[in-house]
Amino acid sequence: MYEYEVKYYDGQSSRSRNAFLLLRDSHWQLIFRDENDEEQSTRWEIDQIKQNDMGSALNTFHYGDFPHQSVEIEDPTFIDDLKQKYPGLDFVNKNYHRVLTGGWKVMAGLVALTILLFALFAFVIAPNSAALIAGQIPRSFESKLGENGYQVFMTTAEEDAKRSLLVNRFAKQMDFDTDYPIRITVVESDEVNAFALPGGRIVLFSGLLDKMGSAEELAGLLGHEVGHVKHRHSIKAQMRSLSTYLFVSLLLSDVNGVTAVLMDNAKMLSNLSYSRKLEHLADEEALAVLQKNHISQSGLVDLFRTLQGEAGKEPEFLKFLSSHPLTQDRLDFAKKAAAKQRGEQENLELKAIWERIETEGKKESELPG
Ligand SMILES: [Zn+2]
């Protein structure tokens, strides 16, 4: 026989219809009347029928892809009939079934697995793919991203054109050992700050320039910022602070997904902070650049002392230190290197340009307003 009165849901509306269910060898046949009271028949293939096993008193089965059609069968003999009609066939999704009824061991296992996957992502996959992707991003994109961040920043900043020219002339006298085009913009601001953008732009605030006392300090600062450029630190720091948005792209190592998010957030490039590890790398670059140019590495030590000595006096001083955290380790590292340095020479050209930068700075501060 294998015929049952059932409630049928078509998956489109929530209303049920009374229907007849017939169990055939390869499928179930459902016969019901539609809105126009015409008889309809639908066919469910056996391999796509699943039993809901949520402990409901009613036996509910659904069919195919979402939105599911489903039937409710109240007939108490139905489950036994199924076993007879289709021996060896299990309508319940076995894995699903085990999780729901397998008790605490299965649940504990799942929780442990989830924690393991998160740890794997947070400590292994994300950092590695971030570094990998930062390396894969093409130079042309890097320049565009940096340019974008620069344009956004400059809409609210005022350039000190004279000192920009002089600082660029200063930088041209140095060999930074890079093929990134290094371009420096000095902006008028009391903030003691400087930052590097992807692609080679560096923004130097007059507040920091005014506090520096020598050509060597400026050379040290430029070496440090160029270090951030060379190692693509701003892209890495940007990726780190956007990691929630980049989750899927990082997981898939999807460069295009990552670059789209970075470009959308280019305005944050002027306000990134670096990890201690990246700061240490930039310091190493600065020391190497100073050495290559026969400039005293004590310039970097003096720069740190300037920042450290002034820190706390005015809130503006915290800006550079919060984006480039200065630790005792960094100071000690630079001191040790400077103490061992050989071959430094006084560079008269740099000194002359530095004096002009200082003179311009004094003129600026004498201007009214
Ligand atoms: Zn830094």
Side-chain angles (χ1 to χ4, degrees):
M1 288 291 286
Y2 302 119
E3 286 179 22
Y4 310 86
E5 281 183 43
V6 301
K7 287 213 182 328
Y8 169 65
Y9 296 85
D10 63 7
Q12 310 291 333
S13 83
S14 59
R15 74 172 265 246
S16 67
R17 298 173 203 277
N18 293 319
F20 277 108
L21 169 63
L22 311 171
L23 302 189
R24 311 289 195 199
D25 288 346
S26 66
H27 64 277
W28 291 6
Q29 190 179 5
L30 281 149
I31 301 161
F32 56 92
R33 291 193 171 278
D34 68 10
E35 300 80 357
N36 307 318
D37 209 30
E38 282 175 24
E39 192 172 288
Q40 300 288 343
S41 166
T42 187
R43 181 187 166 106
W44 286 14
E45 300 303 328
I46 285 292
D47 58 354
Q48 292 181 56
I49 301 170
K50 288 255 164 68
Q51 183 178 7
N52 287 5
D53 188 51
M54 302 296 284
S56 164
L58 293 167
N59 292 315
T60 306
F61 291 78
H62 59 261
Y63 179 71
D65 295 326
F66 192 82
H68 298 306
Q69 302 172 49
S70 59
V71 290
E72 285 173 8
I73 303 132
E74 283 182 84
D75 193 317
T77 67
F78 185 74
I79 296 296
D80 286 338
D81 291 355
L82 270 188
K83 284 177 188 154
Q84 243 177 49
K85 173 76 182 167
Y86 309 105
L89 210 67
D90 184 357
F91 288 92
V92 179
N93 181 338
K94 279 181 184 162
N95 296 325
Y96 188 50
H97 183 73
R98 266 192 67 207
V99 173
L100 289 170
T101 58
W104 66 272
K105 275 188 188 169
V106 175
M107 282 321 237
L110 270 184
V111 169
L113 186 67
T114 307
I115 292 170
L116 189 74
L117 286 176
F118 268 98
L120 191 69
F121 179 79
F123 300 112
V124 184
I125 298 171
N128 282 318
S129 45
L132 198 73
I133 287 179
Q136 282 181 317
I137 286 171
R139 280 280 184 100
S140 55
F141 173 81
E142 224 187 334
S143 310
K144 268 186 221 154
L145 178 65
E147 213 48 43
N148 203 338
Y150 176 75
Q151 297 301 342
V152 174
F153 175 78
M154 289 308 286
T155 55
T156 56
E158 198 189 328
E159 183 174 5
D160 177 341
K162 274 190 186 164
R163 283 199 284 179
S164 284
L165 200 76
L166 290 168
V167 174
N168 278 296
R169 198 174 292 167
F170 184 99
K172 285 268 173 345
Q173 296 291 323
M174 293 176 63
D175 179 358
F176 289 102
D177 198 15
T178 180
D179 49 6
Y180 278 102
I182 303 301
R183 285 166 298 171
I184 301 136
T185 305
V186 178
V187 295
E188 287 288 359
S189 170
D190 290 340
E191 232 177 67
V192 176
N193 204 358
F195 62 87
L197 288 153
R201 278 199 185 273
I202 291 167
V203 173
L204 173 53
F205 291 62
S206 60
L208 175 55
L209 194 54
D210 291 340
K211 296 286 181 250
M212 287 195 265
S214 67
E216 289 78 10
E217 270 191 68
L218 178 58
L221 175 83
L222 294 178
H224 178 92
E225 294 301 329
V226 172
H228 284 314
V229 171
K230 278 193 209 175
H231 293 288
R232 300 185 157 192
H233 285 171
S234 49
I235 286 185
K236 283 175 194 165
Q238 205 195 356
M239 279 166 74
R240 195 179 60 163
S241 63
L242 292 170
S243 58
T244 332
Y245 301 102
L246 294 174
F247 188 93
V248 174
S249 299
L250 287 176
L251 201 62
L252 302 174
S253 291
D254 171 17
V255 179
N256 293 333
V258 169
T259 55
V261 174
L262 295 182
M263 194 56 102
D264 283 347
N265 291 280
K267 72 164 192 278
M268 70 189 286
L269 287 167
S270 56
N271 205 17
L272 290 171
S273 61
Y274 296 121
S275 67
R276 289 170 180 210
K277 190 179 149 200
L278 300 192
E279 280 307 289
H280 182 71
L281 278 168
D283 288 345
E284 282 185 326
E285 279 291 340
L287 291 167
V289 161
L290 291 169
Q291 177 60 34
K292 192 176 171 76
N293 290 274
H294 310 291
I295 300 170
S296 171
Q297 291 171 331
S298 61
L300 191 67
V301 181
D302 293 342
L303 174 72
F304 291 163
R305 288 219 174 98
T306 298
L307 292 163
Q308 212 175 32
E310 301 290 329
K313 284 187 188 166
E314 296 167 52
E316 293 93 68
F317 283 92
L318 296 170
K319 294 278 180 173
F320 187 83
L321 296 178
S322 65
S323 56
H324 306 251
L326 179 60
T327 55
Q328 192 60 40
D329 283 357
R330 286 182 65 197
L331 189 62
D332 292 345
F333 181 73
K335 269 200 231 170
K336 257 186 210 161
K340 281 193 286 189
Q341 190 186 15
R342 297 285 175 271
E344 63 270 40
Q345 296 158 6
E346 197 173 26
N347 185 321
L348 294 176
E349 299 219 36
L350 286 184
K351 207 177 166 197
I353 303 171
W354 170 250
E355 278 164 8
R356 288 192 59 192
I357 293 170
E358 274 192 317
T359 313
E360 279 301 325
K362 280 176 193 139
K363 270 197 228 163
E364 296 281 338
S365 62
E366 281 160 13
L367 286 175

